[in-house]
Amino acid sequence: MFTRFKGTREQKKLLKAIKKNPDDSNALTQLGWNAYEQHDNDEARGYFSRAIEARSEAFAVTDALYGLALIELDHKHYAEARDMLRQIIKDAPNFQRRAEVHLALGQANEWLWRTAKWKDEKEKAGSDLLQRARDHYQQALERKTEQRD
């Protein structure tokens, strides 16, 4: 018996593109986002990782790294997500302007602040993680306003 792939037309088109060119970062990243939207983080992680390894299109590679960072946030790996997001902001000016990247980085910093083991309240209050979270939340709001204009 044949088992037919029951994907959308777009997914089938992307899979066909990958069959022709296994290093197509654009198609791999798009398949990663499709899987992420369907809450299949393992499949999404696979496609994003392959897109990063292929390195055929810089924007797609950065978009795949952003997808991996969101998966890390979903799995409560805040430090890893923060490192990825900081790298994206540092290396990719196009992503630096995106509100959602700053929002995700703010969330990572806030959760690191909330979940860290502090010696006492003074150490917790003296941490810059919460201030960094606030700064990135503010940047997210500013970027969102700029996008609307």
Side-chain angles (χ1 to χ4, degrees):
M1 226 51 238
F2 286 100
T3 308
R4 293 188 53 114
F5 174 72
K6 295 183 180 178
T8 65
R9 181 178 293 175
E10 178 189 5
Q11 288 171 318
K12 289 178 184 179
K13 182 179 169 185
L14 292 168
L15 288 169
K16 190 175 181 181
I18 291 170
K19 193 172 185 176
K20 287 181 181 178
N21 178 8
D23 292 334
D24 185 344
S25 291
N26 286 321
L28 289 164
T29 299
Q30 188 57 50
L31 282 168
W33 284 116
N34 290 346
Y36 183 79
E37 289 170 2
Q38 296 170 1
H39 305 287
D40 188 346
N41 285 349
D42 291 334
E43 186 173 344
R45 183 185 306 273
Y47 284 125
F48 289 144
S49 296
R50 283 180 55 198
I52 291 168
E53 290 169 9
R55 295 196 179 278
S56 66
E57 166 81 32
F59 185 84
V61 170
T62 305
D63 199 27
L65 185 59
Y66 175 61
L68 285 177
L70 293 182
I71 291 170
E72 293 299 329
L73 279 177
D74 290 348
H75 287 110
K76 300 180 181 181
H77 300 147
Y78 305 117
E80 294 86 349
R82 181 183 63 169
D83 291 344
M84 289 178 190
L85 291 163
R86 289 170 77 183
Q87 189 68 37
I88 289 168
I89 288 173
K90 178 182 164 199
D91 293 345
N94 290 337
F95 272 80
Q96 192 179 95
R97 294 184 203 105
R98 291 174 63 175
E100 58 272 14
V101 174
H102 288 281
L103 179 63
L105 186 51
Q107 290 170 329
N109 282 318
E110 180 182 354
W111 279 105
L112 282 169
W113 181 77
R114 290 179 185 276
T115 59
K117 304 281 189 239
W118 305 103
K119 289 187 283 187
D120 53 32
E121 286 299 314
K122 184 178 178 183
E123 181 186 30
K124 185 176 183 178
S127 169
D128 66 340
L129 286 173
L130 189 57
Q131 185 57 47
R132 287 182 183 182
R134 287 180 184 138
D135 291 345
H136 283 288
Y137 288 147
Q138 181 64 37
Q139 288 180 30
L141 287 171
E142 290 169 4
R143 301 299 193 279
K144 194 67 170 172
T145 303
E146 289 171 5
Q147 290 172 352
R148 282 191 214 140
D149 294 342

